[in-house]
Amino acid sequence: MKALVYHGPGKKSWEEKPKPVIQQPSDAIVRITKTTICGTDLHILKGDVPEVTDGRILGHEGVGVIEEIGNSVTSFKKGDRVIISCISSCGKCNYCKRGMYSHCENGGWILGHLIDGTQAEYVRIPFADNSLYHIPVGSDEEALVMLSDILPTGFECGVLNGKVQPGNTVAIVGSGPIGLAALLTAQFYSPAEIIMIDPDDNRLETAKKFGATQIINNIKEDAVDRVKEITGNKGVDTAIEAVGIPATFELCQYIVGAGGTIANIGVHGKSAELHLETLWAHNITITTRLVDTVTTPMLLKTIQSKKLDSKQLITHHFKLREIINAYDTFQHAAREKALKVILTND
């Protein structure tokens, strides 16, 4: 089969790899029909995730059709159309029983990280019964690719960890795909203000269309001063970090109000300064999380009922064999006005 293979920081290629086979009775082999590229894949290519080794097939998102199942898989059969979760869960360990699937002792985030991933024609899915979801008949599969990672990540790591409540003021630092996913799902809780902060005017205009009440270009104006102006000098109730660089995490510290929460989503490859000299007396909470995907079934229902339009996050389409071009588009998002790209394996 063909696959996108990582060969060290800054190096990737579309090449031949052996088709995956069943290794454990709980495995399934899925033929990928649609996949995408994640900001985390870019962090891997920058060298921010050193656990990813030379020769690894990247990718942890997608939908597909089951080609083969192990003899202990009971919830799926050959031919089933499925959503692939970015998190593999055994369902039996202590962490899984606590709903912390991301810390599964036998799984967690392993696809495209510790085992071969979904940017390929076929992928092996461990713990298939707990790591795949049936696609309802008649569903728009492109929209459901967003359920692999981006929507549950924005919701769980940003909105739920950020304790967003009705009437709150929320700031999301980073108006890329993950920040926009947090924006879309934050609206479940009717905050009074959702302030989007980003240096890209196109993404800010998109955020406004998606429901942001205020937009701030932090190159053109001082984001801290503008947030203070909007909030009557109080700061926000929730600051969501959706980029993964020191400057954006520090910005969250400057704009969070007393009693507020900083919810980190971004993948950080460098240390960031913690300003305890300012925050020690402010009663704030700082949260971190790797998505557990416990909300995926609920989010699927909201998409099915058209309460949540995840397809609006998609801006570009490519054939799977065009993945090198797709990466170039995604890596130059400002130039290309790109959010999520869909790669179709036909």
Side-chain angles (χ1 to χ4, degrees):
M1 69 169 185
K2 288 280 195 174
L4 193 283
V5 182
Y6 173 75
H7 288 298
K11 299 175 183 177
K12 62 187 183 299
S13 66
W14 178 245
E15 61 188 70
E16 290 282 347
K17 291 283 279 187
K19 184 178 174 182
V21 296
I22 297 291
Q23 296 181 17
Q24 299 292 333
S26 58
D27 288 349
I29 305 300
V30 177
R31 178 175 63 83
I32 293 292
T33 54
K34 296 182 187 297
T35 185
T36 186
I37 302 169
C38 180
T40 303
D41 297 321
L42 301 188
H43 278 285
I44 291 170
L45 285 167
K46 285 168 60 181
D48 289 346
V49 189
E51 301 86 7
V52 182
T53 55
D54 186 352
R56 178 67 62 229
I57 296 173
L58 296 183
H60 50 267
E61 303 168 85
V63 298
V65 180
I66 292 181
E67 288 272 311
E68 187 181 357
I69 58 171
N71 57 24
S72 72
V73 176
T74 59
S75 299
F76 299 92
K77 64 183 185 304
K78 183 177 179 178
D80 283 350
R81 306 188 78 84
V82 292
I83 303 165
I84 298 166
S85 175
C86 64
I87 300 296
S88 302
S89 163
C90 75
K92 298 177 181 179
C93 71
N94 180 56
Y95 287 117
C96 285
K97 289 180 178 178
R98 292 162 58 190
M100 291 175 63
Y101 303 149
S102 62
H103 290 273
C104 173
E105 293 173 9
N106 305 299
W109 173 41
I110 54 176
L111 287 174
H113 178 208
L114 304 180
I115 67 171
D116 287 337
T118 58
Q119 290 171 7
E121 294 177 320
Y122 296 88
V123 62
R124 179 179 70 91
I125 303 299
F127 313 115
D129 280 333
N130 297 309
S131 307
L132 297 172
Y133 299 88
H134 287 282
I135 293 179
V137 176
S139 296
D140 186 327
E141 292 190 4
E142 288 191 0
L144 298 188
V145 173
M146 304 301 109
L147 285 174
S148 286
D149 180 359
I150 186 172
L151 282 173
T153 296
F155 185 50
E156 294 174 19
C157 305
V159 177
L160 294 185
N161 265 19
K163 305 173 188 174
V164 175
Q165 298 294 324
N168 275 181
T169 301
V170 178
I172 301 173
V173 181
S175 193
I178 198 68
L180 293 171
L183 165 63
L184 290 172
T185 54
Q187 293 172 71
F188 292 161
Y189 294 94
S190 301
E193 295 272 13
I194 306 179
I195 306 162
M196 297 295 292
I197 303 171
D198 197 275
D200 185 331
D201 283 331
N202 176 65
R203 287 188 165 186
L204 289 173
E205 285 303 315
T206 300
K208 205 166 187 180
K209 292 174 186 174
F210 286 9
T213 58
Q214 305 279 349
I215 56 174
I216 300 171
N217 184 315
N218 57 324
I219 287 181
K220 296 180 178 179
E221 57 184 325
D222 188 298
V224 177
D225 289 346
R226 185 77 182 96
V227 168
K228 287 181 178 178
E229 180 185 332
I230 294 168
T231 61
N233 216 39
K234 293 180 179 178
V236 297
D237 298 300
T238 300
I240 296 174
E241 197 288 326
V243 182
I245 59 174
T248 50
F249 182 73
E250 288 191 51
L251 177 56
C252 288
Q253 297 176 59
Y254 299 139
I255 63 177
V256 69
T261 300
I262 298 172
N264 183 81
I265 305 177
V267 177
H268 289 267
K270 296 179 180 179
S271 62
E273 193 169 350
L274 179 62
H275 290 285
L276 283 177
E277 77 281 4
T278 302
L279 299 176
W280 70 271
H282 280 202
N283 291 43
I284 70 154
T285 300
I286 299 174
T287 66
T288 66
R289 184 172 181 173
L290 182 59
V291 63
D292 292 302
T293 67
V294 291
T295 62
T296 300
M298 179 277 286
L299 292 168
L300 174 58
K301 291 178 183 178
T302 66
I303 291 173
Q304 288 300 107
S305 66
K306 302 191 185 306
K307 300 292 184 184
L308 178 62
D309 180 8
S310 60
K311 196 170 181 179
Q312 61 188 320
L313 291 163
I314 301 166
T315 56
H316 291 72
H317 293 79
F318 296 88
K319 301 295 185 184
L320 182 58
R321 62 180 177 271
E322 299 170 327
I323 193 166
I324 298 296
N325 292 336
Y327 261 93
D328 182 67
T329 296
F330 193 64
Q331 286 174 309
H332 297 92
R335 181 190 73 195
E336 302 292 341
K337 298 184 178 180
L339 294 174
K340 293 295 279 185
V341 302
I342 287 290
L343 298 148
T344 301
N345 178 28
D346 56 3

